[in-house]
């Protein structure tokens, strides 16, 4: 990466499910090795890929020479191999955030670790170079921090600014820019979205640093397009929306689908960008990527027994968890003998304090009159 600084992470080519997030391009767990008077490892990899990381470290230096480990984040895709490193380098000192210390102690037997919690502004010397720690709580766990090396203008940003993207190319000028940005967008929408305020605080801090390279813990390293990704993070974290509606639904016998298309047409007529997402064919994590800048989220479900179709309830669970702020919600659907699907959906969304601006359901099959009524109602909402 730079003189004496190496990527020693692991490529997870086959990863397709990251706790519910469809990672169709796999991922990487980026660990970084710094050769200085103190040999330093920034983060590690998922446990099952420990040997990949060890081989990469061993191609540079004996693992037992590691003096310092920085754990920017407790989640086990980055901390999973710390114990294995400490078995080979038992005297290495581990630096982490205050919440990180508690988290590591909860995940591992740290009784023999030389573990130090550091706050924002703490700087350690590695010899010729130094590391400064900056807490970034809730981007996206309470323990997250980033680490900055001023001598190289290099930021180890951990999860922030990352992408789930398996690749042998390491840098943003070696890979399709559009694909990197698409995966960065998906990553933000599915991991970082609930924490816009915290992201904006972090961006303020980062704006005071002189940065030439951003090395996240997943995917491609930024050295050419740093301004672009920071600009996108500024936009996404602001929760500003575009004139856009995402219509998400599943259907049993086509009734809810007819309603979905009727609603979409009204948005089209008003000049909205629209996106129609059948839950049978679209993954919830890809739908969230569409929702990142949508003013309206429309959710449709038929009634199945006493509630929603399971595909819709899974989507609603995911949506409520990620809690996009400031969106307007429309709900719709059909029922046979129990008017339950939309009712249960509304209850969930209302409990999550989502702003439902219009809701409707129809018995069995929407008539022409029903569809005309729905079209008029949506038109009214958009006026
Ligand atoms: Fe990539 Fe929050 O772990």
């Amino acid at each position: 990466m730079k003189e004496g600084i190496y990527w020693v992470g692991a490529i997870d080519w086959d990863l397709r499910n990251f706790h519910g997030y469809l990672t169709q391009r796999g991922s990487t767990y980026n660990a970084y090795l710094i050769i200085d008077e103190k040999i330093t490892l920034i983060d590690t990899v998922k446990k099952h890929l420990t040997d990949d990381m060890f081989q990469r470290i061993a191609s540079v230096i004996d693992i037992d020479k590691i003096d310092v480990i920085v754990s920017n984040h407790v989640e086990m895709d980055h901390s999973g191999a710390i114990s294995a490193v400490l078995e080979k380098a038992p005297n290495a000192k581990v630096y982490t955030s205050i919440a990180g210390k508690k988290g590591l102690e909860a995940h591992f037997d740290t009784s023999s670790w030389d573990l130090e919690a550091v706050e924002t502004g703490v700087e350690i010397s590695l010899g010729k170079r130094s590391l400064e720690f900056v807490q970034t709580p809730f981007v996206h766990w309470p323990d997250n921090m980033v680490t900055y090396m001023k001598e190289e203008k290099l930021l180890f940003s951990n999860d922030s600014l990352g992408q789930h993207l398996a690749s042998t190319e390491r840098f943003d000028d070696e890979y399709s820019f559009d694909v990197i940005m698409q995966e960065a967008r998906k990553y933000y929408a599915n991991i970082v979205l609930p924490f816009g305020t915290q992201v904006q605080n972090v961006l303020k801090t980062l704006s005071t640093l002189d940065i030439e390279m951003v090395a996240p813990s997943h995917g491609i390293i930024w050295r050419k397009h740093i301004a672009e990704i920071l600009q996108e993070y500024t936009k996404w974290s602001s929760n500003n929306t575009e004139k856009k509606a995402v219509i998400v639904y599943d259907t049993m016998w086509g009734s809810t689908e007819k309603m979905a298309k009727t609603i979409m047409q009204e948005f089209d007529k008003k000049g909205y960008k629209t996106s129609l997402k059948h839950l049978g064919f679209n993954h919830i994590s890809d739908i969230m990527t569409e929702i990142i800048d949508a003013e309206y989220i429309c959710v449709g479900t038929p009634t199945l027994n006493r509630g929603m179709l399971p595909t819709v309830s899974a989507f609603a669970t995911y949506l409520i968890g990620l809690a996009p702020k400031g969106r307007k919600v429309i709900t719709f659907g059909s029922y046979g003998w129990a008017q339950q699907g939309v009712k249960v959906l509304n209850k969930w969304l209302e409990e999550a304090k989502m702003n439902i601006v219009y809701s409707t359901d129809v018995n069995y099959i929407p008539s022409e009159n029903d569809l005309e009524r729905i079209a008029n109602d949506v038109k009214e909402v958009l006026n």
Side-chain angles (χ1 to χ4, degrees), residues 111-377:
S111 52
S112 64
W113 295 18
D114 182 1
L115 179 59
E116 183 173 331
V118 288
E119 300 200 54
T120 291
V122 169
E123 197 174 308
I124 60 168
S125 172
L126 305 182
K128 294 191 189 72
R129 292 165 292 195
S130 62
L131 294 177
E132 182 183 342
F133 306 109
V134 179
Q135 314 291 306
T136 58
F138 287 101
V139 185
H140 66 126
W141 275 23
D143 53 77
N144 278 88
M145 67 176 192
V146 300
T147 300
Y148 177 61
M149 180 184 273
K150 63 176 181 274
E151 295 80 3
E152 302 286 355
K153 300 179 181 178
L154 172 53
L155 180 74
F156 299 99
S157 67
N158 196 262
D159 277 342
S160 53
L161 311 173
Q163 336 88 44
H164 282 311
L165 179 53
S167 159
T168 47
E169 289 79 14
R170 297 269 67 80
F171 296 103
D172 59 351
D173 47 30
E174 300 174 334
Y175 202 88
S176 159
F177 177 66
D178 289 346
V179 172
I180 303 169
M181 289 308 278
Q182 170 65 16
E183 292 301 336
R185 181 183 173 91
K186 180 166 184 180
Y187 192 93
Y188 189 96
N190 286 276
I191 305 268
V192 191
L193 186 62
F195 308 109
T197 308
Q198 291 88 340
V199 171
Q200 296 211 319
N201 290 336
V202 172
L203 290 172
K204 264 186 222 147
T205 307
L206 298 189
S207 69
T208 65
L209 304 177
D210 191 6
I211 299 172
E212 271 180 5
M213 186 181 286
V214 176
S217 57
H218 296 288
I220 298 283
I221 296 164
W222 304 94
R223 65 181 178 190
K224 183 178 179 192
H225 298 291
I226 294 171
E228 288 94 324
I229 186 60
L230 290 177
Q231 192 178 2
E232 290 299 283
Y233 260 60
T234 302
K235 191 173 85 184
W236 298 331
S237 61
S238 72
N239 273 302
N240 288 342
T241 54
E242 293 182 9
K243 198 171 173 185
K244 176 176 171 186
V246 181
I247 298 107
V248 186
Y249 72 101
D250 204 342
T251 198
M252 250 193 234
W253 296 104
S255 295
T256 303
E257 185 163 65
K258 279 183 188 161
M259 299 167 81
K261 289 181 176 170
T262 299
I263 290 167
M264 186 181 76
Q265 279 168 12
E266 291 310 309
F267 279 102
D268 284 340
K269 284 181 200 164
K270 290 283 181 186
Y272 277 75
K273 274 191 221 167
T274 53
S275 184
L276 188 67
K277 297 290 182 190
H278 187 312
L279 281 161
F281 305 103
N282 293 279
H283 197 271
I284 53 177
S285 57
D286 287 318
I287 295 172
M288 284 312 303
T289 315
E290 286 280 334
I291 283 174
I292 195 170
D293 51 6
E295 180 184 348
Y296 280 87
I297 307 166
C298 309
V299 189
T301 184
T303 295
L304 178 70
N305 299 319
R306 293 182 184 175
M308 296 171 257
L309 271 190
T311 46
V312 185
S313 48
F315 170 72
T317 300
Y318 201 64
L319 176 72
I320 288 166
L322 288 165
K325 292 185 179 67
R327 316 308 164 101
K328 294 168 205 161
V329 178
I330 287 176
T331 60
F332 58 97
S334 61
Y335 62 93
W337 53 97
Q339 197 173 358
Q340 288 295 319
V342 173
K343 186 174 159 192
V344 174
L345 173 61
N346 285 348
K347 184 166 177 283
W348 286 25
L349 297 177
E350 278 160 8
E351 279 174 6
K353 310 235 176 318
M354 297 203 74
N355 177 23
I356 301 173
V357 294
Y358 174 63
S359 179
T360 185
D361 56 3
V362 299
N363 190 218
Y364 285 117
I365 296 171
S367 64
E368 285 304 312
N369 282 345
D370 286 327
L371 294 176
E372 198 179 323
R373 171 183 59 77
I374 292 166
N376 284 333
D377 288 349

Side-chain angles (χ1 to χ4, degrees), residues 50-66:
T50 300
D51 285 348
D52 288 18
M53 182 183 75
F54 278 1
Q55 280 175 20
R56 290 192 170 98
I57 295 172
S59 72
V60 180
I61 199 162
D62 288 341
I63 298 168
D64 61 10
K65 296 223 162 37
I66 291 174

Side-chain angles (χ1 to χ4, degrees), residues 91-127:
N91 295 322
K93 178 156 191 158
V94 181
Y95 291 95
T96 189
S97 67
I98 292 165
K101 184 167 183 287
K102 283 188 196 149
L104 289 172
E105 286 165 351
H107 282 72
F108 304 99
D109 176 3
T110 60
S111 52
S112 64
W113 295 18
D114 182 1
L115 179 59
E116 183 173 331
V118 288
E119 300 200 54
T120 291
V122 169
E123 197 174 308
I124 60 168
S125 172
L126 305 182

